[in-house]
Amino acid sequence: MPSPRKTLQDLDLDLLAGTAVALRADFNVPLDGGRVADAARIERTIPTIDLLVESGAKVVVLSHLGRPGGRLRPEFTLRPVADCLGALVEAPAAFLPHVDGAEVRDAVAGMADGSVLVLENTRFLPGETACDPGLAADWASWASHFVLDAFGTAHRAHASTVGLARAVRQKEGEAVAGLLVAEELSALGCVLGKPRRPFAAVVGGAKISGKIDVIEALLARVDVLMVGGAMANTFLLAMGIETGASLVEPDSAEAARRILKAAGPRLVLPVDCVVAPSLTPGVEARSVDRSAVTDQETIGDVGPVTTEVFGRCLADAATVIWNGPMGIFEKSAFANGTRALAISVAEAAEAGATVVIGGGDSVAAVGSAGVANRITHISTGGGAFLDLVAGKTLPALEALSERTPAGNSQGAEV
Ligand code: ADP
Ligand code: MG
C-alpha cells in the first residue's frame, strides 16, 4: 500500500495565489488533421485547472503527446491541445512553443495571476523519459508548486512526473495530486479495498504475459474472474484444447496452468468462440463450441453462449472491474463479444453495481457501444490502472508530498 500522499484538496489554496504552479497533465490525446479528435482526457483535468485558476495561480501545463523520441517533431506539437484547452477553460490560455530554458522562465514571469500557459511536448527533450534531474531543476526554477493530474502517466518515472515533484519539494514547495488523480485513486481504492460482494472481474485483451500479475492479484480478491480475448486462448491451450492459428503465448501456458489450478471454479473461461479461416477483411466467421476449433482457424471473439454466461455473472455482481476487450473488436466480425460485455456492465451499473473500467481499448469499446455515461468510473489509465490493480505503487505518486497524519484521510489511499 502506498503511503498517503497530499492532494490539492489538502492544501490551503490561498498558498497558491500569485505563484507559478506546474501542472503535469496527461494530454496524450488522439489527433486528426492537426485537431484534437477526442478531448475526453483534456476534459477530465478541467476541474483541476479551474480550481488552480480560481486560487489565483499562474497555471503552467506540462504534458507529453505521442512518442517523438526525445526530439522536436512538429507532428507531435501540443498546440492543438492548447487550442482545445483554451475553448474549455474560462481563463485566458496561451501556448508557448518552448518546453525548457529561458524562454519558459521569461514567459512564466510575464503571466497574469489566474491565467493558463501550455508548454510544448515534454518528450521533445531526451531528458524527459531519462528522468534527467537537470531538466527537472530547470522547470523547478520557475515552479513554486507541483500538481500531478497525469494519472495515465503516473506509472512512469519521468522528469516531468517524479523529477519535477522531487525538485519542487527540494525547494520547499508542495507537490500534490490533482483532482483527477484523487478521483482515480478513490474509485480504485473503493473497488480494491472494500468491494461490495459479489465482486466480478473481467480481463481480456491481446497478451496474457503482461497481465499475469493482474490476474493473480484479482483472483486474490474477487468472487468470479471472467477471461476473454486472446489471453483466454492461452488458458485453452494450457487445458489441451485446439487453438488453431489463434494468438497464443506458449511461454505463458505454465503460468496459465498454475492459475487454473489455484482459481478453481472462480475462473470462468469462454465455452464457445467466433472463428474464421483468416483475419482478412470480408472473410466469413462462425460461432463454434471451444472444442470444435480446427487447426486452421483463428479465434477472434468469444461466442454467444459465453456472452450469456458472462452476462449472468455480471447481473449478480455488486462490484465490477473490467480491463481488456473480449475479441478483435476493431473488426466488425469480432466485435459482438466486447459490445455485449459493454452493455452487460452498463446494465449492472444501472442495477446498482459499482463498475470501474480501465485500459485504452476497453474504454474505446465502451464509448463505441454508447454506454460510457452509464459506467460508475472510467479510468484515464492503461498501464497505471493495471499496475494499481496488480498492487504495485506508482512512482509519480510516491514522489509527492506526504500527507501529515492529522490531515484529511479521504482519497489518495489505495
Ligand atoms: P486495453 O487497452 O483495454 O488494456 P489491450 O491493449 O490489452 O486492452 O488489448 C486490446 C487488444 O487485444 C485489441 O487490439 C484487440 O484486437 C486484441 N485482441 C482481443 N482479443 C483478441 C484475439 N482473440 N486475438 C487477437 N487479438 C485480440
Ligand atoms: Mg491497449
Side-chain angles (χ1 to χ4, degrees), residues 45-139:
T45 283
I46 297 298
T48 298
I49 296 178
D50 283 346
L51 187 58
L52 292 172
V53 164
E54 280 164 31
S55 309
K58 306 171 207 277
V59 187
V60 184
V61 181
L62 296 120
S63 177
H64 74 286
L65 177 67
R67 295 176 180 222
R71 63 196 173 89
L72 195 161
R73 288 177 60 193
E75 66 271 35
F76 292 106
T77 177
L78 233 68
R79 189 184 288 275
V81 167
D83 291 343
C84 178
L85 183 69
L88 292 169
V89 290
E90 301 281 327
F95 173 68
L96 186 76
H98 298 278
V99 67
D100 69 339
E103 288 90 349
V104 176
R105 244 184 323 276
D106 292 348
V108 173
M111 282 174 79
D113 294 355
S115 68
V116 180
L117 181 68
V118 179
L119 303 186
E120 188 50 286
N121 192 337
T122 54
R123 289 197 191 164
F124 282 177
L125 302 174
E128 165 69 328
T129 53
C131 200
D132 173 14
L135 176 56
D138 176 74
W139 285 323

Side-chain angles (χ1 to χ4, degrees), residues 98-297:
H98 298 278
V99 67
D100 69 339
E103 288 90 349
V104 176
R105 244 184 323 276
D106 292 348
V108 173
M111 282 174 79
D113 294 355
S115 68
V116 180
L117 181 68
V118 179
L119 303 186
E120 188 50 286
N121 192 337
T122 54
R123 289 197 191 164
F124 282 177
L125 302 174
E128 165 69 328
T129 53
C131 200
D132 173 14
L135 176 56
D138 176 74
W139 285 323
S141 69
W142 49 259
S144 302
H145 304 290
F146 174 71
V147 175
L148 177 84
D149 225 18
F151 180 72
T153 322
H155 59 315
R156 304 276 183 227
H158 290 167
S160 67
T161 60
V162 169
L164 183 50
R166 283 186 190 144
V168 163
R169 290 180 65 194
Q170 236 164 41
K171 51 180 263 201
E172 313 276 302
E174 294 281 3
V176 302
L179 302 181
L180 173 61
V181 165
E183 180 199 322
E184 294 269 14
L185 293 177
S186 114
L188 266 167
C190 284
V191 167
L192 298 173
K194 283 195 187 130
R196 287 183 297 131
R197 295 192 179 270
F199 181 8
V202 191
V203 181
K207 292 213 162 163
I208 188 172
S209 47
K211 292 185 188 173
I212 286 175
D213 50 354
V214 173
I215 292 175
E216 289 186 319
L218 283 172
L219 274 172
R221 294 172 192 269
V222 301
D223 300 296
V224 57
L225 174 68
M226 293 158 263
V227 177
M231 69 164 62
N233 300 344
T234 300
F235 281 104
L236 300 183
L237 182 77
M239 291 161 72
I241 292 173
E242 174 68 65
T243 52
S246 309
L247 177 57
V248 287
E249 290 172 275
D251 289 350
S252 295
E254 195 44 54
R257 232 169 268 130
R258 188 183 68 229
I259 292 169
L260 277 167
K261 205 166 153 208
R266 285 182 305 136
L267 185 65
V268 181
L269 290 169
V271 289
D272 62 344
C273 24
V274 179
V275 295
S278 76
L279 294 179
T280 39
V283 79
E284 202 158 316
R286 63 185 189 117
S287 297
V288 293
D289 188 89
R290 71 182 187 191
S291 62
V293 179
T294 71
D295 61 354
Q296 307 285 316
E297 286 174 316

Side-chain angles (χ1 to χ4, degrees), residues 205-206 211 229-230 247 299-300 323-325 327-328 330 359-362:
K211 292 185 188 173
L247 177 57
I299 302 172
N323 166 264
I328 310 170
E330 300 92 336
D361 292 295
S362 315

Side-chain angles (χ1 to χ4, degrees), residues 262-395:
R266 285 182 305 136
L267 185 65
V268 181
L269 290 169
V271 289
D272 62 344
C273 24
V274 179
V275 295
S278 76
L279 294 179
T280 39
V283 79
E284 202 158 316
R286 63 185 189 117
S287 297
V288 293
D289 188 89
R290 71 182 187 191
S291 62
V293 179
T294 71
D295 61 354
Q296 307 285 316
E297 286 174 316
T298 298
I299 302 172
D301 196 8
V302 297
V305 183
T306 303
T307 293
E308 239 186 272
V309 172
F310 285 10
R312 271 202 299 277
C313 292
L314 290 164
D316 288 342
T319 304
V320 177
I321 188 163
W322 173 25
N323 166 264
M326 296 294 95
I328 310 170
F329 73 108
E330 300 92 336
K331 295 181 191 283
S332 62
F334 303 121
N336 287 344
T338 304
R339 190 181 172 79
L341 187 77
I343 291 166
S344 292
V345 298
E347 282 170 359
E350 260 163 5
T354 302
V355 178
V356 174
I357 300 176
D361 292 295
S362 315
V363 170
V366 165
S368 55
V371 296
N373 60 352
R374 291 152 72 182
I375 306 302
T376 318
H377 179 77
I378 294 191
S379 178
T380 55
F385 174 87
L386 290 172
D387 280 0
L388 275 186
V389 174
K392 295 179 192 160
T393 55
L394 303 181

